[in-house]
Amino acid sequence: MIKSMTGFSKVEKSNNNLNFSIELKSLNGKNLELNFRMPKYLNEKEIELREIFRKKIFRGTVSIYINIENKIKTQTFSFNNEIANTIYTELQNTRKELKIKDAIKIEHILKYSDLFIENSSINEITNEDWAFIKDCVYAAIEEMDLMRRKEGGNISNDLTRRLKQFSDQVKEIEKLGIERIPEEQERYKEKIAKMFENDEIDEQRLQTEIVLMADKLDISEECVRLQSHLKLFDEYMKDKSPSGRKLNFLMQEIHREVNTIGSKSSYTKISHKVVNLKEDIERIREQVQNIE
């Protein structure tokens, strides 16, 4: 079953100590990219968090927003007097250099409070709280995964329909190719007969024309390979493991076979159908880019 790389989830839970919220946003990406925005005191847990996500998500750009509020500890502050004194001294020096008569007041210093006031409301996470946080993270991943599976189901239905139409067109092209053979044989017979009208026959050119004729008359090999690719595509979609990269590679092979049919056949009806196939390939490729 295929999954989309796009998804969203938000989980908010509380225990005795914490109010916890996590929001996940996932977009398309060539590989797995995890971007965390969370309180600094969780930085030491980032490696473990990344491992949790890697076991559940394989491709996509995932943004993780984590917010924690402590329900028990009251918010406290501490001053770094050394930094505050440095700021005061620098302001005094600036006042003298600019010949400002007004005195330096406390409100002037407080404008730089982010440099010397330290918030010490939460400095560490207990084992009990960390277990609670991980449960919330797993819940958020599962909720987002549910959305990715649902969107993947919609993509799968669309691809199944498009692949059926694609396969039917390939069958029509193969049939047209077979019907075209007698007419093409007659055309090449006339071309070769003209070559025999001359007294001298270029044997090398004759052999080249025969080989070219045989090659251009037969597109069945390409059609057979296309049907094989389409069958493999369907198997990849049903595979439980992530198949986005495999499907993307397979689309390149399908495109190559269609190009070969277009270059080999000069029959207008086949050329028109090849154009349609190329349009279908682009639509299918756009969907494949969304698959994990």
Side-chain angles (χ1 to χ4, degrees), residues 11 66 98 107 120 144 155 158 174 189 197 246 267:
V11 170
I66 295 176
L98 299 178
E107 55 263 30
S120 58
M144 186 177 71
I155 293 175
D158 181 67
E174 188 173 15
K189 284 180 181 178
E197 291 177 358
K246 295 177 183 178
Y267 190 25

Side-chain angles (χ1 to χ4, degrees), residues 237-277:
M237 285 202 303
K238 295 175 182 178
D239 197 341
K240 293 182 179 179
S241 62
S243 55
R245 289 190 180 91
K246 295 177 183 178
L247 294 176
N248 189 52
F249 174 76
L250 201 53
M251 288 308 302
Q252 296 176 29
E253 296 300 308
I254 290 173
H255 189 261
R256 185 178 293 111
E257 297 297 341
V258 171
N259 275 340
T260 302
I261 292 174
S263 63
K264 288 178 69 171
S265 177
S266 59
Y267 190 25
T268 304
K269 288 185 179 180
I270 292 180
S271 297
H272 289 168
K273 289 191 175 297
V274 166
V275 171
N276 293 334
L277 287 181

Side-chain angles (χ1 to χ4, degrees), residues 193-210:
K194 289 181 180 179
M195 295 173 61
F196 278 94
E197 291 177 358
N198 301 324
D199 295 335
E200 295 182 2
I201 299 176
D202 187 340
E203 292 291 339
Q204 185 176 357
R205 183 182 174 191
L206 178 60
Q207 291 296 328
T208 301
E209 290 291 336
I210 293 174

